[in-house]
Amino acid sequence: MASFLWSFGANLVYFFLNFHLEALGYTRAHIGYAQAFLLLVGVVSSLPLTYLIPRLGYLKSLYLAFFLAAGSGVLLGLGLWVFPALGGYGLAGALLQGAAAPLMARLVPPERRVALFSLQAALTTASGFFSTLLAGFLSEWVGARHVLLFALPFFLLAVPLALGLPEGEGKTPRLEGRLGVWLRLLVPQVVIGFGAGLVIPFVNLYLKEKFGLTYGATGLVFALSSLATGGAMLLQPLLVGRVGKLKAIVLVQALSLPFLALLAWAPWLPVVTVALLVRGALMNAAGPVYAALVMDYLPEEERPGFFLVESALWSLLFALGSALSGKLQAAMGLGAFHYLFGATLALYTLGILLWPWAFGRLRAGVR
C-alpha cells in the first residue's frame, strides 16, 4: 500500500511535469534539459547513497525519500526554484531505488521474490491508471500549473504504512573483483535506457500534437496504459514458472517491438492507442523479473549499491537521450519523432539481444 500511494503521487508528477513546465513558460529544449537534470541527480548521488543507505537503514532511507518528494513537490507545484526542486525530487527517487528492492528481498524467501516483486510492481503501475486519469481532469479544473500539488498528500500518506516493517541494514559493499559481474548485468538495461530516453518522456506531447488530444484525453490514454502494464506484471510469475526468468524477460520485451513500431508510425488513433497499451505492458512487465533475477547473482551487501548504480547508469543514458531528443524536437518539430522512434526501436532490439550474453556465463545461487 505504501508503494501504491507513493506511485500515485509520482505518476501525477511524471505524467504532468512536461505540461506543468510548459505552462510555466519553459521551451521544449528546456523541458528536455529539465528531464535530463532530474535523472542526472540519480547519477551524482548513486555512489554516496551506496554507503549512506546501509548506515541509515532501509526504512529510514524510505522515510527520507517520502519527505524529500513532498517538499520538492511543493516547490515544483508553486513554480519556485524549479531546478533545485527537481534535484530534491530526483534524490528522493534515488533513495527509494536503493532501499526498496533490498528491503523486499529480506521479507520473503528467494522462491517468492518474483511473486512479491511482480505484485508490488503491478500495484504501483496500476496506480498510474487512477493518477494519470486524475491528472487529466485536474488540469481542466485547476489548470496545468497546479496539478502537481495534488501529489503531495499521497507521498505523506505512504509514511505511516511503512511503519512496523522489519528494519534491515545492509553491509558496506566490497566491489573488488565484482565490477565485471555488475557490468554484464547492467549493459542491456542501459542500452534500453538510452533508447527509452529518446521518446518515452515525450510520448504524451507526441500524442497531443499528432492527434490534437486534450489534456483529459491524453490522461485517459496513459491511465489505460498503466492499467494494462499492471495486469501484465501479475502474469509474470506464471510465465516465469514455465520458461524461467531470463527467457521471460527476452520474450515479453521482444513481443513489444512491433507495437512500438505501430505507436510510432500508424496514422490512426485507435491503433496507436492499442499499441501504446500493449507496448508499455510488455516492455515494462520484465522489470520485476529482472530485479528478482539479479538477486540470484548478488550477495545482500551488494544489492543496494547495484540497484543504485543500475538506476544511475540507466538514468544517465535516459537523460542523455532526453536532452538530445529535446534539441532535435526544437529543431524539427513533430517530424523529429520519425527518427527518434527509429533509433529507439534499434536500441531496444540491441538491448534485448544482449540479455542472454549478460547472464549466460554467470553463476546463480547467491542468497
Side-chain angles (χ1 to χ4, degrees):
M1 288 305 299
S3 295
F4 178 87
L5 288 168
W6 168 277
S7 181
F8 199 106
N11 275 310
L12 279 174
V13 175
Y14 176 79
F15 172 75
F16 222 82
L17 180 60
N18 288 345
F19 297 139
H20 178 71
L21 294 175
E22 198 173 49
L24 291 174
Y26 285 82
T27 66
R28 187 61 56 84
H30 285 95
I31 293 174
Y33 293 143
Q35 290 280 356
F37 177 73
L38 175 63
L39 295 170
L40 283 171
V41 171
V43 177
V44 176
S45 62
S46 61
L47 185 59
L49 291 182
T50 296
Y51 297 95
L52 178 63
I53 288 175
R55 288 178 177 272
L56 285 179
Y58 300 145
L59 280 182
K60 290 178 182 176
S61 298
L62 291 182
Y63 300 152
L64 180 58
F66 293 151
F67 289 117
L68 266 176
S72 301
V74 170
L75 295 175
L76 279 175
L78 297 175
L80 302 173
W81 299 327
V82 170
F83 275 81
L86 286 170
Y89 189 75
L91 182 60
L95 283 162
L96 187 73
Q97 182 73 22
L103 176 61
M104 288 195 300
R106 281 194 170 202
L107 300 178
V108 295
E111 64 271 14
R112 300 284 301 278
R113 285 176 187 155
V114 170
L116 175 63
F117 283 26
S118 296
L119 176 60
Q120 184 262 353
L123 286 173
T124 58
T125 305
S127 73
F129 172 79
F130 303 102
S131 59
T132 53
L133 187 64
L134 178 63
F137 289 107
L138 282 174
S139 66
E140 308 291 343
W141 177 41
V142 300
R145 287 194 56 173
H146 300 96
V147 173
L148 265 61
L149 292 171
F150 286 83
L152 307 181
F154 298 98
F155 293 141
L156 297 176
L157 285 171
V159 176
L161 290 172
L163 295 173
L165 289 175
E167 176 64 289
E169 295 186 3
K171 300 177 182 178
T172 301
R174 296 181 179 180
L175 304 182
E176 293 83 358
R178 298 292 295 170
L179 294 180
V181 174
W182 283 31
L183 183 62
R184 291 182 75 95
L185 298 176
L186 290 168
V187 166
Q189 276 288 80
V190 298
V191 170
I192 290 171
F194 181 63
L198 293 173
V199 296
I200 299 304
F202 305 99
V203 169
N204 51 2
L205 296 171
Y206 168 73
L207 293 178
K208 183 175 178 291
E209 290 183 6
K210 183 175 181 178
F211 296 103
L213 300 180
T214 64
Y215 288 133
T218 308
L220 176 60
V221 170
F222 276 79
L224 292 173
S225 177
S226 297
L227 194 64
T229 300
M233 286 175 172
L234 287 176
L235 297 176
Q236 288 304 291
L238 299 176
L239 182 61
V240 169
R242 289 180 173 272
V243 303
K245 297 172 188 172
L246 180 57
K247 289 182 179 179
I249 293 172
V250 173
L251 180 61
V252 296
Q253 291 192 340
L255 289 174
S256 77
L257 297 180
F259 296 97
L260 176 64
L262 287 174
L263 172 61
W265 295 297
W268 306 287
L269 180 59
V271 174
V272 169
T273 301
V274 172
L276 177 69
L277 302 183
V278 178
R279 185 221 69 85
L282 292 173
M283 195 68 188
N284 294 317
V289 182
Y290 169 74
L293 180 60
V294 165
M295 297 291 179
D296 295 340
Y297 291 83
L298 298 178
E300 181 173 350
E301 63 268 20
E302 292 184 16
R303 291 167 185 168
F306 176 85
F307 283 106
L308 281 165
V309 171
E310 184 265 336
S311 177
L313 289 178
W314 193 93
S315 297
L316 178 63
L317 274 295
F318 191 94
L320 178 60
S322 297
L324 292 174
S325 180
K327 293 290 286 184
L328 191 62
Q329 291 175 57
M332 299 182 62
L334 188 62
F337 283 101
H338 291 295
Y339 304 98
L340 294 171
F341 273 110
T344 296
L345 186 61
L347 289 165
Y348 275 14
T349 302
L350 175 60
I352 293 166
L353 291 174
L354 285 171
W355 284 122
W357 166 84
F359 288 92
R361 295 184 180 179
L362 300 181
R363 295 183 62 184
V366 175
R367 294 292 181 262

mmCIF file of all heavy atoms in Angstrom, residues 85 96 116 137 260 264 308:
data_model
loop_
_atom_site.group_PDB
_atom_site.id
_atom_site.type_symbol
_atom_site.label_atom_id
_atom_site.label_comp_id
_atom_site.label_asym_id
_atom_site.label_seq_id
_atom_site.Cartn_x
_atom_site.Cartn_y
_atom_site.Cartn_z
ATOM 1 N N ALA A 85 14.313 22.115 -6.988
ATOM 2 C CA ALA A 85 13.242 21.203 -6.585
ATOM 3 C C ALA A 85 13.320 19.893 -7.364
ATOM 4 O O ALA A 85 13.092 18.815 -6.811
ATOM 5 C CB ALA A 85 11.881 21.870 -6.800
ATOM 6 N N LEU A 96 14.725 5.807 -2.850
ATOM 7 C CA LEU A 96 13.742 4.743 -2.994
ATOM 8 C C LEU A 96 14.311 3.585 -3.804
ATOM 9 O O LEU A 96 14.123 2.412 -3.469
ATOM 10 C CB LEU A 96 12.486 5.296 -3.669
ATOM 11 C CG LEU A 96 11.293 4.350 -3.749
ATOM 12 C CD1 LEU A 96 10.652 4.188 -2.382
ATOM 13 C CD2 LEU A 96 10.261 4.874 -4.737
ATOM 14 N N LEU A 116 6.432 -11.551 -5.214
ATOM 15 C CA LEU A 116 6.343 -10.312 -4.441
ATOM 16 C C LEU A 116 6.681 -9.106 -5.301
ATOM 17 O O LEU A 116 5.967 -8.101 -5.295
ATOM 18 C CB LEU A 116 7.280 -10.372 -3.236
ATOM 19 C CG LEU A 116 7.368 -9.079 -2.411
ATOM 20 C CD1 LEU A 116 6.023 -8.721 -1.798
ATOM 21 C CD2 LEU A 116 8.431 -9.192 -1.323
ATOM 22 N N PHE A 137 -8.028 15.239 -15.700
ATOM 23 C CA PHE A 137 -9.223 16.001 -15.330
ATOM 24 C C PHE A 137 -8.909 17.162 -14.389
ATOM 25 O O PHE A 137 -9.566 18.196 -14.437
ATOM 26 C CB PHE A 137 -10.261 15.053 -14.714
ATOM 27 C CG PHE A 137 -10.882 14.128 -15.717
ATOM 28 C CD1 PHE A 137 -10.549 12.791 -15.733
ATOM 29 C CD2 PHE A 137 -11.774 14.598 -16.671
ATOM 30 C CE1 PHE A 137 -11.103 11.930 -16.668
ATOM 31 C CE2 PHE A 137 -12.340 13.749 -17.612
ATOM 32 C CZ PHE A 137 -12.000 12.411 -17.611
ATOM 33 N N LEU A 260 5.753 -1.022 -30.676
ATOM 34 C CA LEU A 260 6.472 0.250 -30.687
ATOM 35 C C LEU A 260 6.467 0.848 -32.085
ATOM 36 O O LEU A 260 6.289 2.064 -32.245
ATOM 37 C CB LEU A 260 7.910 0.038 -30.207
ATOM 38 C CG LEU A 260 8.815 1.271 -30.250
ATOM 39 C CD1 LEU A 260 8.309 2.354 -29.309
ATOM 40 C CD2 LEU A 260 10.258 0.901 -29.903
ATOM 41 N N ALA A 264 4.726 4.434 -33.317
ATOM 42 C CA ALA A 264 5.496 5.472 -33.998
ATOM 43 C C ALA A 264 4.868 5.902 -35.313
ATOM 44 O O ALA A 264 4.821 7.109 -35.618
ATOM 45 C CB ALA A 264 6.920 4.973 -34.236
ATOM 46 N N LEU A 308 21.355 1.073 -7.087
ATOM 47 C CA LEU A 308 21.653 2.498 -7.253
ATOM 48 C C LEU A 308 22.478 2.750 -8.508
ATOM 49 O O LEU A 308 22.202 3.674 -9.277
ATOM 50 C CB LEU A 308 22.400 3.020 -6.024
ATOM 51 C CG LEU A 308 21.530 3.314 -4.803
ATOM 52 C CD1 LEU A 308 22.394 3.455 -3.564
ATOM 53 C CD2 LEU A 308 20.707 4.569 -5.027
#
